[in-house]
Amino acid sequence: MGFAQQCHRKVVNAGYKGITFSGISGEEGTFQFLPWFWGAGGQLKDASGSSAEQDALDLVSGWVQKGWAPKSVATDNQSAAWDLFLGGDYGFSENGSWQMESAAEKGYKMISIPAKDGGVAPVPSGGEFITIPTQKTKNSDKMKATAEVIQCLIDGDNLKKTNDEMVYLAAKSDVRKQQVEENSAWAPWVDAVENAEGRTTDVGLKYEDISAQLSEDLQAALNKG
């Protein structure tokens, strides 16, 4: 991943450290590892032990070994990683749109995560979802009421209000367009959202086990030597 390494070297040569990110055990850390994995050409159906996984693990663990990333990445959640970045010692932080407002206040800019062979690495889609537990809800009146609540939440105006409040780009393209028109700070995020990868798209419910294994591999890589 030459471009990422070159950027880090330039930052370090300018007197800063490299990057903060969350490598904490569990889905939060896996979520932030996936762009580097996908950017290396990885596929979730054969993730653990693949050459793409190893390339991505070598990349992020190498930052720690070089001192470009803090050793705390193995236990930092996304909020802790962002707070560390705001201290001013690091040139980059991998995080999400929910940090956009504090980034804008500091004058920080957003760039997409680079892929190994050039271009932009996919990021995971979604973070919060609205679901109906149909297997456990047999009462038809409750199901109807639940569907009505969800429909209310995802209608255009309400969806925009919810996403604006949570500092997310909406899943619906017309609502995203409105968000960008009202706040130009959203513009750099559009490509990332529209080219995101679904975590369960290809592997379905198997993702839970795949994510757990990726997390275990990531922890081992970040904590070695």
Side-chain angles (χ1 to χ4, degrees), residues 161-177:
K161 290 177 182 177
T162 300
N163 280 268
D164 285 347
E165 181 67 25
M166 299 181 75
V167 200
Y168 291 165
L169 265 179
K172 291 185 174 181
S173 59
D174 58 331
V175 180
R176 282 200 302 274
K177 182 179 179 182

Side-chain angles (χ1 to χ4, degrees), residues 84-107:
L84 189 58
F85 173 65
L86 292 179
D89 292 332
Y90 289 86
F92 298 99
S93 182
E94 179 189 358
N95 226 286
S97 64
W98 43 92
Q99 309 293 7
M100 184 185 71
E101 292 177 340
S102 62
E105 290 174 2
K106 291 276 190 176

Side-chain angles (χ1 to χ4, degrees), residues 17-222:
K17 298 176 184 178
I19 186 171
T20 70
F21 63 94
S22 171
I24 192 172
S25 178
E27 181 60 19
E28 190 167 358
T30 302
F31 187 91
Q32 291 217 313
F33 177 68
L34 282 174
W36 307 107
F37 169 73
W38 281 327
Q43 300 290 326
L44 287 176
K45 61 184 179 181
D46 55 1
S48 184
S50 66
S51 60
E53 185 202 32
Q54 193 58 57
D55 285 348
L57 290 172
D58 289 345
L59 178 73
V60 298
S61 64
W63 295 337
V64 177
Q65 292 164 19
K66 292 182 178 74
W68 295 358
K71 292 181 179 180
S72 63
V73 294
T75 55
D76 283 343
N77 61 21
Q78 293 174 21
S79 294
W82 186 250
D83 288 342
L84 189 58
F85 173 65
L86 292 179
D89 292 332
Y90 289 86
F92 298 99
S93 182
E94 179 189 358
N95 226 286
S97 64
W98 43 92
Q99 309 293 7
M100 184 185 71
E101 292 177 340
S102 62
E105 290 174 2
K106 291 276 190 176
Y108 297 148
K109 304 297 183 182
M110 177 270 191
I111 62 171
S112 297
I113 294 175
K116 177 181 178 180
D117 296 324
V120 175
V123 299
S125 61
E128 274 70 44
F129 302 89
I130 302 174
T131 59
I132 302 177
T134 56
Q135 297 297 319
K136 296 183 179 180
T137 306
K138 305 299 183 181
N139 185 305
S140 60
D141 290 336
K142 286 185 177 180
M143 288 288 290
K144 181 180 179 181
T146 301
E148 290 174 350
V149 169
I150 290 177
Q151 188 58 51
C152 177
L153 289 172
I154 64 175
D155 278 344
D157 289 343
N158 290 338
L159 182 64
K160 182 179 178 299
K161 290 177 182 177
T162 300
N163 280 268
D164 285 347
E165 181 67 25
M166 299 181 75
V167 200
Y168 291 165
L169 265 179
K172 291 185 174 181
S173 59
D174 58 331
V175 180
R176 282 200 302 274
K177 182 179 179 182
Q178 187 178 355
Q179 287 179 284
V180 173
E181 289 173 349
E182 292 183 6
N183 185 352
S184 61
W186 277 121
W189 295 88
V190 174
D191 282 345
V193 170
E194 295 185 350
N195 291 285
E197 292 276 359
R199 285 167 282 175
T200 60
T201 303
D202 296 328
V203 296
L205 295 178
K206 293 179 181 178
Y207 178 74
E208 184 176 355
D209 292 334
I210 293 169
S211 173
Q213 186 60 59
L214 284 174
S215 177
E216 184 177 320
D217 296 345
L218 179 59
Q219 283 287 301
L222 294 176

